[in-house]
């Protein structure tokens, strides 16, 4: 476990944190009653259910995302299907390339993700070496601290064994670039370093690829394989032509989508961080590849200073960041272009807006082998958690990869056509067809043959001209005719180079793709906002901002007095009418206990109804983080809440404006 | 096709309607570029993508649903996984019973849904009979009108063949209860009535069941089958115990969930109405089965008058509705209980709120065989469309079915424990164990044997006592010991009947489940709000209410004058700051064309910026349905829009308050 601290500077205690999330039902393992009763026989790990506060927090993060990106930037949101026929993912490359490498335990038959296995074993060896050298007294203790980020198999025993200095250096270098190995390299490492399954110490078989997509069958006929999408992107690409039309052919533009995606992880671990089903929010920004990929909003974000961890630094085995402005990063070509830089800035602003701790945020560039098969460049927004640095947002330049492959497969031009300000003069090989003889020669195939000829590229035309100068005919491929080939004799066609004016420019847009893993953001954010009251580890608080808090206001009546009932109803109805979610806690627990519950749910504001309320219509308003309270009339308090929710006032403003209320018994009464 | 009319009373023209939805990208067939290019070889029908206005409308319907149900009624929203291991659906009955019957074409191998096939063939025969009797002159014309609700195979040729009167009567009776047959009965009908595939006239094989769940494999090991959920309900049931605790053990309460579900339809047809992947919003309301299932909110909805179509009316072959109050329906036992009645009322209010036409809404009770395997009673909210009456919301009483089966399978008590106001005196068989001898006899198994004894029910205890009176020992099942059985001799146990006081009442709650098919509501709503300007079929309008309209305001600058740019930005920023979505249409099209586009997108309000705006800061506001306009300052117009969106004013109020603006050229300028 990485040793992280809460923002109050105390050590982060994952045990208390997880116990809070469980107690308050933020999320839970799915099918838990089946699991604990021994009724699940297969591998159903990596699946989680969100309880009421978790579901509300997730919805609020998604809403904030929609406002920040879709609404503010006028993106075209779409909702495409999860189920996708095989043909689409064959073209996109996912059927062939979307895989991890796994090693099978030679005896138990268990599958282990190869890179995680190697990482795990080498880290254990390095720890054993430290123990043998006396650097660490207690190898077991070291083991407990193992950075669990990569969902490793558990290391049962650290053996105190000395390594040579050469071995230590080699292992450390391998670990620094573990994400950068392909299957053959992983196999070589397993063999040479004698990697075994730490769980049982059995030999493992050489790594084999495992496709991460879930497969199923569409319809009653088994001849229709389909997959659950591993990303929302492909649906957006397939609709590119329609979206461009919908956008009245204006470029650049972005589509966006929020929805579930699925990856059949070999060995899901670490709670919400490596799961098989997850909510994604993805943007596909389509941009002209020429002209340096400028962005009209660049000025608004260029001065933001981000923590950048580039590719070269990582390849040299280091993890030090540069804190520089986006403008400087783009100028230095650290970040390739303005559009990529713009989105890094917008991602940064979004994460801070929902409550992420800036000191636990960095932008890390992918190394070459680590990138997805379609990416030209990629930066991850990573959040520091007790599991280490976690990739929460990817921002990839997918270049023209996807539109090009789908266009090629379907014959549908996924391109932009723009009038040129000045017509372009180009020389090109043109084909003249002798219409008078062409029809009678080919009869019903004439049209297909003509289309096939006109579809020939410039290089092919030049080549065929050479053939025609030596032979009496050329042979060309014509789909749909017998044999698929046709001979065209010399008197039917003429190839000639001519100068033509092009008034229209055609290009395939490049795609910049900011892709958000909502579950990972959700979990990391909760770690960032978690702390406890001074001196009391048991009194945890989640300092979620009003914007995303599961509920905005807790209403606490001091007793179950019947006179309170209409007051509670009035307050909650008024709040709901303003679109402000609230919760009533009329349990018999003490005020202090109820506020503590409230703190654990991350509800920022609390209203107390007491005996004076019945007399003078006054209520108190408590702020979660400071536990300070003010007192005023119901209407005044509700107006203040509205103004806090709308971000028109801060709590300090309200606290200054309204009289402070000091409760007699304090919080713990 | 049913002949429906628009709310202006003109015939509904599905052709123009669908062309509008396609043109404005409300939704589109998924993977269309693969389909049209002949690149899809399998059966990938029944999958649709939502474009920008469709996605926004869908999001707004879901938001309205959350506000209407989750927020207003304080429901516990959860988000559970789609992927579910087989064991869960075995218990719930879906692996065995969630199926449709299909017939295979004996020659082509095509699969046809059995009930739809029979319905289709019998309707064709009845039409042929009418044609032969001369009732209809043109059989083809009749065919075109076939009610396509049930996604039937297409009837290619209607043959004018006379039927006997007995046959006509029998066919009509079969059609009236076609949803009520099981597999064997469908098979008998196929055989006896010589049903063939109308497409090719081949014989069909006897019906076989087809499970409608999509199957996949979890993890790399093939021994872990899983399914995509066909409903969101099971995740809610599995979390019942935690939700009850979260609710501080207070009953009744409801959980709710919005998410994708999947059903592998044999033959998906009719656009969005029978699809394989769909968005659902489901509520599971947990209620005490005793005390008549009262609901505290019943008074608020009891006077609403709904159109009820009950089971008996349908079984008698009729479809006439009774328009009576919910109170009367519950009193008459037409609707079983208050809670069911309450939700029918809330469903009704929700549907009207989002813009459903009340004259095209009815509540239909399920017939016995038509109900899902878990349901005790079920009412559907059906919306009338050009495809006939479409089930859009189901409201089922699932009784204690699901909680009981999961509890039995897992041993987890999914029950409510409530203190009794008065302790209950009951007589029961108790077991006394001779501890002194028990331990030495069974040693390490002693605890397991004791648990097995104490787990015996009252009837079993009584039975075993009889055995023990005749034999020296009893034999009981003990899981976990060798052979799974243990002999317990007479001196170790004593059975005795005693009077005990029960202070706690335990019960398994019943579940009332309102379940919303968002895609079907989406489509039916669009049919309900579609009409066209008088005398101009080409000028379609979607009169979506402000609450759900994809965008609230269209901003139309009269020209591309640079002076307009800051004004456009100011207006759109101000609107967005108020959370009001807007769209700018600065295309070169005429104002009339742009308003027409706007009408087709269902955007309720339009702002025009003209040359006077630059001088005096005034803009016009146009209301979509009336096309009336008012003119005032930017601030005044924005304040009016806010007040319309907040439902604080109607358009009539605004129109009365602000000066009317009459454009010189009219709408078509």
């Amino acid at each position: 476990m990485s040793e992280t601290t809460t923002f109050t500077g105390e050590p982060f205690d994952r045990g208390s944190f997880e116990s809070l999330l469980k107690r308050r039902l933020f999320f839970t393992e799915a099918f838990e009653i089946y699991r604990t009763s021994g009724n699940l026989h297969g591998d159903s790990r990596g699946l989680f259910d969100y309880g009421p506060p978790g579901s509300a927090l997730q919805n609020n993060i998604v809403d904030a995302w929609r406002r920040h990106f879709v609404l503010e930037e006028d993106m075209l949101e779409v909702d495409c299907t999860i189920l996708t026929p095989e043909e689409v993912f064959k073209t996109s490359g996912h059927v062939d390339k979307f895989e991890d490498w796994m090693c099978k335990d030679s005896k138990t038959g268990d599958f282990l993700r190869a890179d995680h296995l190697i990482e795990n074993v080498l880290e254990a060896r390095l720890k054993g070496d430290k123990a043998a050298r006396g650097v660490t007294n207690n190898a077991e203790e070291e083991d407990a601290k193992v950075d669990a980020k990569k969902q490793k198999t558990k290391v049962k025993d650290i053996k105190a064994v000395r390594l040579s200095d050469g071995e230590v250096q080699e292992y450390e270098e391998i670990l620094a670039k573990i994400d950068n190995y392909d299957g053959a390299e992983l196999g070589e490492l397993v063999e040479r370093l004698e990697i075994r399954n730490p769980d049982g110490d059995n030999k493992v078989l050489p790594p084999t690829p495992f496709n991460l997509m879930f497969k199923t069958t569409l319809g009653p006929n088994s001849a229709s394989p389909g997959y659950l999408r591993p990303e929302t992107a492909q649906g957006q690409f397939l609709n590119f032509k329609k979206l461009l039309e919908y956008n009245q052919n204006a470029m650049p533009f972005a589509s966006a989508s929020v929805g579930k995606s699925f990856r059949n992880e070999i060995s899901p671990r670490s709670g919400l961080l490596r799961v098989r089903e997850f909510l994604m929010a993805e943007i596909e920004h389509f941009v002209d590849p020429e002209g340096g990929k400028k962005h009209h909003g660049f000025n608004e974000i260029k001065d933001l200073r981000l923590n950048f961890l580039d590719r070269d630094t990582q390849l040299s085995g280091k993890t030090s960041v540069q804190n520089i402005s986006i403008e400087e990063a783009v100028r230095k070509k650290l970040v390739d272009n303005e559009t990529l830089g713009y989105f890094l800035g917008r991602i940064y602003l979004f994460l801070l807006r929902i409550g992420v701790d800036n000191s636990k945020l960095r932008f890390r560039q992918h190394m070459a082998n680590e990138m997805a098969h379609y990416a030209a460049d990629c930066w991850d927004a990573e959040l520091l958690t007790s599991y280490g640095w976690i990739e929460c947002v990817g921002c990839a330049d997918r270049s023209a990869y996807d539109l090009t492959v789908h266009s090629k497969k379907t014959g549908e031009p996924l391109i932009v056509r723009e009038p040129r300000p000045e017509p372009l003069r180009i020389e090109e090989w043109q084909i003249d067809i002798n219409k008078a003889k062409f029809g009678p020669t080919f009869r019903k195939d004439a049209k297909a043959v003509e289309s096939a000829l006109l579809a020939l590229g410039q290089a092919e035309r030049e080549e065929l001209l050479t053939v025609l100068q030596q032979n009496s005919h050329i042979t060309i491929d014509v789909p749909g005719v017998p044999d698929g080939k046709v001979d065209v004799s010399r008197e039917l066609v003429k190839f000639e180079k001519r100068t033509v004016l092009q008034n229209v420019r055609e290009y395939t847009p490049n795609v910049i793709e900011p892709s958000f893993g909502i579950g990972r953001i959700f979990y990391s954010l909760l770690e960032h906002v978690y702390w406890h009251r001074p001196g009391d580890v048991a009194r945890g608080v989640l300092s979620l901002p009003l914007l995303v808090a599961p509920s905005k206001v807790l209403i606490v009546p001091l007793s179950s007095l019947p006179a309170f009932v209409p007051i509670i109803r009035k307050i909650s109805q008024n709040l709901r009418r303003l679109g402000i979610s609230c919760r009533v806690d009329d349990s018999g627990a003490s005020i202090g206990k109820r506020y503590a519950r409230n703190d654990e749910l991350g509800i920022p504001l609390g209203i107390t109804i007491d005996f004076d309320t019945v007399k003078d219509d006054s209520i108190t308003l408590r702020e979660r983080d400071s536990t300070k309270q003010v007192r005023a009339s119901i209407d005044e308090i509700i107006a203040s809440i509205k103004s806090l929710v709308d971000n028109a006032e801060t709590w300090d403003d309200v606290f200054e404006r309204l009289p402070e209320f000091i409760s007699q018994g304090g919080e713990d009464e």
Side-chain angles (χ1 to χ4, degrees), chain A residues 116-135:
Chain A
H116 294 173
L117 170 67
I118 294 170
E119 194 177 29
N120 196 14
V121 169
L122 296 191
E123 281 184 357
R125 289 186 191 167
L126 287 171
K127 291 213 175 66
D129 176 63
K130 274 193 187 168
R133 286 171 199 250
V135 179

Side-chain angles (χ1 to χ4, degrees), chain A residues 529-568:
Chain A
V529 300
Y530 171 76
W531 58 293
H532 58 78
R533 298 284 177 213
D536 191 351
V537 185
R539 288 202 55 191
V541 185
L542 294 176
S543 284
L544 289 165
L546 261 168
L547 181 69
V548 295
S551 185
K552 312 307 176 199
V553 184
L554 184 82
I555 301 168
V556 184
L558 204 61
S559 90
S560 55
L561 202 70
F564 286 3
V565 175
I567 301 174
I568 297 170

Side-chain angles (χ1 to χ4, degrees), chain A residues 2-205:
Chain A
S2 292
E3 285 183 7
T4 54
T5 54
T6 66
F7 67 81
T8 53
E10 307 216 37
F12 174 82
D13 176 0
R14 200 198 289 160
S16 318
F17 171 71
E18 282 182 348
S19 135
L20 183 161
L21 296 189
K22 204 180 155 106
R23 193 163 58 245
R24 295 302 163 217
L25 205 46
F26 273 84
F27 61 92
T28 175
E29 243 188 326
F31 340 111
E32 201 174 79
I33 62 174
Y34 274 73
R35 197 178 309 278
T36 53
S37 62
N39 272 292
L40 291 182
H41 309 302
D43 176 8
S44 57
R45 294 168 302 165
L47 295 167
F48 291 86
D49 293 342
Y50 290 78
S55 173
L57 173 58
Q58 179 184 256
N59 288 343
N60 294 342
I61 292 174
V62 169
D63 279 353
W65 189 89
R66 277 211 176 94
R67 270 203 299 278
H68 187 82
F69 291 104
V70 180
L71 190 64
E72 284 184 27
E73 309 204 16
D74 226 352
M75 293 173 173
L76 305 183
E77 187 175 348
V78 296
D79 182 21
C80 304
T81 60
I82 289 169
L83 287 170
T84 309
E86 186 168 58
E87 292 88 344
V88 172
F89 287 130
K90 272 212 169 133
T91 308
S92 69
H94 286 88
V95 170
D96 293 329
K97 296 183 203 147
F98 195 69
E99 53 198 19
D100 278 341
W101 293 88
M102 63 182 183
C103 293
K104 191 172 180 174
D105 183 300
S106 58
K107 289 207 177 130
T108 63
D110 286 349
F111 292 102
L112 305 160
R113 201 174 130 172
D115 54 346
H116 294 173
L117 170 67
I118 294 170
E119 194 177 29
N120 196 14
V121 169
L122 296 191
E123 281 184 357
R125 289 186 191 167
L126 287 171
K127 291 213 175 66
D129 176 63
K130 274 193 187 168
R133 286 171 199 250
V135 179
T136 309
N137 289 328
N138 188 339
E140 291 288 331
E141 190 179 280
E142 270 304 306
D143 185 30
K145 287 185 194 160
V146 161
D147 180 335
K149 175 191 172 192
K150 305 288 183 179
Q151 347 300 328
K152 286 160 288 197
T153 52
K154 194 169 159 60
V155 179
K156 288 260 167 81
D157 286 300
I158 297 283
K159 292 200 190 71
V161 176
R162 280 291 289 264
L163 301 173
S164 72
D165 288 353
E167 281 171 324
V168 169
Q169 197 191 334
E170 186 190 4
Y171 290 2
E172 280 171 351
E173 280 171 12
I174 291 169
L175 290 172
K177 50 186 177 186
I178 190 72
D179 292 334
N180 204 32
Y181 294 105
D182 63 21
E185 290 164 336
L186 291 168
E188 188 272 328
L189 289 173
V190 167
E191 171 102 13
R192 182 164 56 82
L193 303 176
E194 291 175 1
I195 304 288
R196 286 160 164 266
N197 184 356
D199 187 3
D201 202 39
N202 299 321
K203 277 199 164 182
V204 297
L205 303 181

Side-chain angles (χ1 to χ4, degrees), chain A residues 538-664:
Chain A
R539 288 202 55 191
V541 185
L542 294 176
S543 284
L544 289 165
L546 261 168
L547 181 69
V548 295
S551 185
K552 312 307 176 199
V553 184
L554 184 82
I555 301 168
V556 184
L558 204 61
S559 90
S560 55
L561 202 70
F564 286 3
V565 175
I567 301 174
I568 297 170
R569 189 172 308 136
K570 179 186 163 188
I571 295 172
S572 60
Q573 276 179 354
N574 282 347
L575 286 171
R576 282 178 187 161
R577 208 164 290 148
L578 294 169
I580 298 170
S581 61
C582 58
R583 249 193 116 201
V584 179
D585 186 348
D586 52 7
S587 70
S590 73
I591 291 285
K593 277 231 176 73
R594 283 187 272 173
Y595 277 144
R597 209 181 267 159
N598 173 34
D599 292 345
E600 291 193 339
L601 287 168
I603 303 178
L605 301 168
I607 282 174
T608 315
I609 298 163
D610 56 26
F611 301 104
D612 287 338
T613 310
V614 184
K615 293 181 218 152
D616 64 5
D617 202 46
S618 73
I619 50 178
T620 63
L621 179 66
R622 170 188 184 266
E623 195 269 341
R624 174 195 60 207
D625 298 349
S626 64
T627 74
K628 299 264 188 210
Q629 301 190 50
V630 294
R631 190 167 189 111
S633 72
I634 293 178
D635 289 347
E636 270 177 297
I637 293 290
I638 288 182
S640 302
I641 292 172
K642 172 81 176 131
S643 129
L644 286 167
V645 168
D646 289 348
N647 226 351
E649 273 188 306
T650 66
W651 169 253
D652 288 342
D653 298 332
V654 171
F655 189 68
E656 187 147 317
R657 196 159 53 68
L658 298 178
E660 184 173 4
F661 176 78
I662 297 165
S663 73
Q664 292 160 337

Side-chain angles (χ1 to χ4, degrees), chain A residues 101-377:
Chain A
W101 293 88
M102 63 182 183
C103 293
K104 191 172 180 174
D105 183 300
S106 58
K107 289 207 177 130
T108 63
D110 286 349
F111 292 102
L112 305 160
R113 201 174 130 172
D115 54 346
H116 294 173
L117 170 67
I118 294 170
E119 194 177 29
N120 196 14
V121 169
L122 296 191
E123 281 184 357
R125 289 186 191 167
L126 287 171
K127 291 213 175 66
D129 176 63
K130 274 193 187 168
R133 286 171 199 250
V135 179
T136 309
N137 289 328
N138 188 339
E140 291 288 331
E141 190 179 280
E142 270 304 306
D143 185 30
K145 287 185 194 160
V146 161
D147 180 335
K149 175 191 172 192
K150 305 288 183 179
Q151 347 300 328
K152 286 160 288 197
T153 52
K154 194 169 159 60
V155 179
K156 288 260 167 81
D157 286 300
I158 297 283
K159 292 200 190 71
V161 176
R162 280 291 289 264
L163 301 173
S164 72
D165 288 353
E167 281 171 324
V168 169
Q169 197 191 334
E170 186 190 4
Y171 290 2
E172 280 171 351
E173 280 171 12
I174 291 169
L175 290 172
K177 50 186 177 186
I178 190 72
D179 292 334
N180 204 32
Y181 294 105
D182 63 21
E185 290 164 336
L186 291 168
E188 188 272 328
L189 289 173
V190 167
E191 171 102 13
R192 182 164 56 82
L193 303 176
E194 291 175 1
I195 304 288
R196 286 160 164 266
N197 184 356
D199 187 3
D201 202 39
N202 299 321
K203 277 199 164 182
V204 297
L205 303 181
T208 51
F210 175 66
N211 194 293
L212 298 179
M213 289 193 296
F214 286 97
K215 195 168 185 172
T216 190
T217 300
L218 307 176
N221 198 314
S222 60
S224 304
Y227 293 92
L228 307 191
R229 67 178 176 201
E231 53 170 14
T232 71
Q234 297 305 322
Q236 301 182 54
F237 299 137
L238 294 191
N239 284 301
F240 170 75
K241 195 182 165 197
K242 292 181 180 183
L243 290 168
L244 179 64
E245 272 169 31
Y246 182 83
N247 206 43
Q248 297 167 7
N249 295 311
M251 284 284 294
F253 74 96
S255 61
S257 192
V258 182
K260 286 273 180 84
S261 293
F262 299 81
R263 295 185 186 176
N264 202 358
E265 293 288 345
I266 294 163
S267 183
R269 298 266 164 102
S270 309
L272 295 185
L273 298 180
R274 192 168 293 275
V275 295
R276 289 180 170 155
E277 173 175 340
F278 49 96
L279 191 65
M280 279 183 119
E282 287 193 307
I283 294 162
E284 310 298 333
H285 178 86
F286 299 97
V287 59
D288 187 339
E290 286 181 23
K293 302 185 187 174
K294 299 274 176 206
H295 195 287
H296 72 92
F298 189 69
N299 272 340
E300 288 163 35
I301 56 86
K302 72 179 169 45
D303 296 326
L304 296 173
R305 298 175 74 87
L306 274 47
N307 294 322
F308 292 100
L309 171 56
D310 64 37
R311 185 180 292 157
D312 294 339
T313 306
Q314 294 166 75
L315 282 174
S316 72
K318 295 189 194 122
T319 58
S320 47
V321 300
Q322 314 173 48
N323 183 268
I324 56 173
S325 73
I326 296 176
E327 184 177 35
E328 189 182 344
V330 171
R331 187 156 25 86
K332 281 180 168 172
K333 276 284 171 189
L334 180 67
V335 169
D336 183 68
N337 58 68
E338 272 196 6
T339 298
L340 200 52
Y342 175 76
F343 280 108
L344 295 184
R346 291 289 294 165
I347 291 165
Y348 171 84
L349 290 175
F350 170 72
L351 292 174
L352 296 195
R353 206 167 186 177
I354 62 170
V356 157
D357 180 345
N358 191 18
S359 71
K360 294 175 179 170
L361 166 59
R362 74 178 183 193
F363 287 82
R364 187 179 72 79
Q365 191 173 28
H366 275 207
M367 290 171 285
N369 271 355
E370 186 191 359
M371 280 193 287
H373 61 270
Y374 46 73
D377 191 10

